[in-house]
Amino acid sequence: IEVATIMLPKLGKPSKQHDICLHVLGGSYYYTGKYDEARPLLDQHVETYPKSQFKMAALYFQGSNLSRLQYWSAAAKLLDKFLSAYPDPRENIYLPFALYDRANCHFAESEYDPALVILNRLESEFAASAVIDMTYNMKGNIFESRAEYDDAEKYYILALNTAEKGENKIVAGEALSYLIGMLGAETRGKKKAPNPRLKDSIPYYDKFMKEYTDSPYKPQVVVYAMPAMRSVDREQEGLDNLQAMITELAGKERQFYLEEVVNAYSDAFLEKKGNTPEMLKKLYYNFPGIDLANKRTLALLRIAIIGVFEDQIKKAEKEKNEDLVMRYKADIGVLFRDLKTEFQPKDLTNFVLIRVGDYLREKTSAPKQALPYYEELMTRKDKTGLEFKAMLGIADVKGRSDSVADNKDAVQMLDDIVKRAKDDAATQANAMFRMVEISDKIEDWDAVEKHARAYLDAKHSKKAAQVSYLFAKSFDKRKKFNDALVFYGMVYARYTGYIRISAPATKRVMEILWDRNLNEGEEVAGKKLTIGDRQQAYEKIGYKYVESTRKIRENSTEITESEKDAWDEVAALTKEYETSGQVKTMAQVKEERKSNRGR
């Protein structure tokens, strides 16, 4: 890299020397894990030298590098192109590696069946390849994700034995971590049934701690093993190992998995009889073996205390202990203010950056204060998979701006998140929702329809009511009133008790029908109306809604003032229509029904 970086700008292009130097530099960045730096060089080489003697290698590096960057769809396309162009293993030394990368793309997108097809091919055709132990681990991952635990265990053991035979300690440690994590889980499956194999993880744990203590998977292992350690009366040993792991990771430049270790320690500490959240707070403010200059770890420990207090709030809310809720909320506010004043963004781990940024964005009146925390994370080479949350935070802040340009930038960022954050469903759903909200704000009604439809088609449920309302509104604003009536109608019918959404939807249906003013017998979309628009607006929509939701308005302790106002507007409009002299009042309707029954 050092030599090629100096040489490359001095070489004429196109030339054989430039071809070689560009290939060496891009390939070296790829092999040293500097995938962002490798990407433009690999792309440039493939484009500039399509007949290069390094063409095959360049095409493989280009696709594989994108998979390392987690651009799964783009990587898959390039790898498919490479595999199609060079299918012969006698000529293509990269074939098993490319197949593994392609299987990994499928796996990352939860496309387990096509991933297994490729992995089975690797197992049958390339059993002696350098990726076969990783192949077994991935097969184990797929079987475990399907709750096929026996098959998963079989392949993890196969990966372990193969890796140990080949002296590949990294993959062997990974296989052990999977075995400990699966066998040592407290529950299994979607129904969270008790795990009958819990204690079977202990021999693997002891093997790992004896033979693989230098493995990068050690942090996961000490976390995974804690339930099993408790089950065999080795709880204190497990706690000690977690504490030692925190101190060990605190001294490293790259503190991989430290957040999870701290959280596991918090949980295990509080589960031990006699320990309290206040005792944990005291410990975390003076943690053994951590220097006061180690800002990153000290900040992370404070975030852990916040997480504990948040859990305590949930318990206090269930017990209706308002004093305790208020006390812990006040403590959390103080901790976040301390984090903001005592620590610079550069001093914080990625996880803490997100937590502080989210707090400032969501819980304060100045959300722009969050931007330095998100932007700091985005400048880092190792974003630990949190870049999408940071992007969401930046986009959300931009989306609150009064600038249309900022709002449009926000939507573009959010669209990128939706396309790329396929392993983070919650972030993806939040991004899709904000695209709908921001498009509504800037009155881009076509975009509102597009993004709302995508959100609803993806079956996200958390914000489905709001999205459904904005979807209907997008037709209303484009004067597509028949469509608006249909979709508003679906909103108030489905979310009747959600006054914030159902009341404005009901009101607009009433207004649209009143303004359209078609009479009974007239046709709409090929169907004859059985009741006039204005009578329907008053009787079937307004009056019915008001009567069915009156108890919520009058008796609910949870209804907000703004929801009361929205409900009152529907009630007032219903009354206005009733006294307009243009409809039969409900008293008249009921009298007619009574007379008709008498006949």
Side-chain angles (χ1 to χ4, degrees), residues 49-109:
Y49 299 104
K51 296 183 180 179
S52 169
Q53 61 178 311
F54 310 111
K55 179 182 177 182
M56 181 171 68
L59 285 171
Y60 169 63
F61 292 161
Q62 185 188 34
S64 182
N65 191 70
L66 281 181
S67 75
R68 303 298 195 276
L69 288 168
Q70 299 184 12
Y71 289 97
W72 303 117
S73 296
K77 289 179 182 177
L78 291 178
L79 289 166
D80 284 341
K81 180 180 177 182
F82 174 78
L83 290 166
S84 176
Y86 302 100
D88 191 343
R90 293 170 296 182
E91 299 174 0
N92 182 0
I93 61 170
Y94 300 103
L95 186 57
F97 302 95
L99 287 169
Y100 178 83
D101 287 337
R102 186 63 184 92
N104 198 29
C105 291
H106 281 306
F107 178 71
E109 305 231 50

Side-chain angles (χ1 to χ4, degrees), residues 120-165:
N120 289 338
R121 182 184 172 193
L122 281 166
E123 189 175 1
S124 62
E125 297 180 29
F126 300 95
S129 74
V131 295
I132 194 61
D133 47 8
M134 295 189 296
T135 296
Y136 295 147
N137 265 338
M138 194 189 298
K139 286 190 77 170
N141 292 158
I142 292 173
F143 288 127
E144 184 179 355
S145 71
R146 291 175 164 179
E148 297 172 14
Y149 300 116
D150 290 343
D151 284 334
E153 184 177 359
K154 167 188 168 184
Y155 275 97
Y156 290 148
I157 292 172
L158 195 54
L160 172 63
N161 294 337
T162 305
E164 286 192 324
K165 186 177 179 181

Side-chain angles (χ1 to χ4, degrees), residues 415 419 432 435-436 444-457 471 474-475 478:
D415 189 47
K419 289 175 180 174
M432 294 175 82
M435 290 169 77
V436 177
D444 185 347
W445 306 118
D446 288 336
V448 172
E449 179 192 353
K450 173 187 171 185
H451 300 315
R453 197 182 292 276
Y455 184 96
L456 297 170
D457 286 348
F471 182 61
S474 74
F475 293 97
R478 289 172 292 171

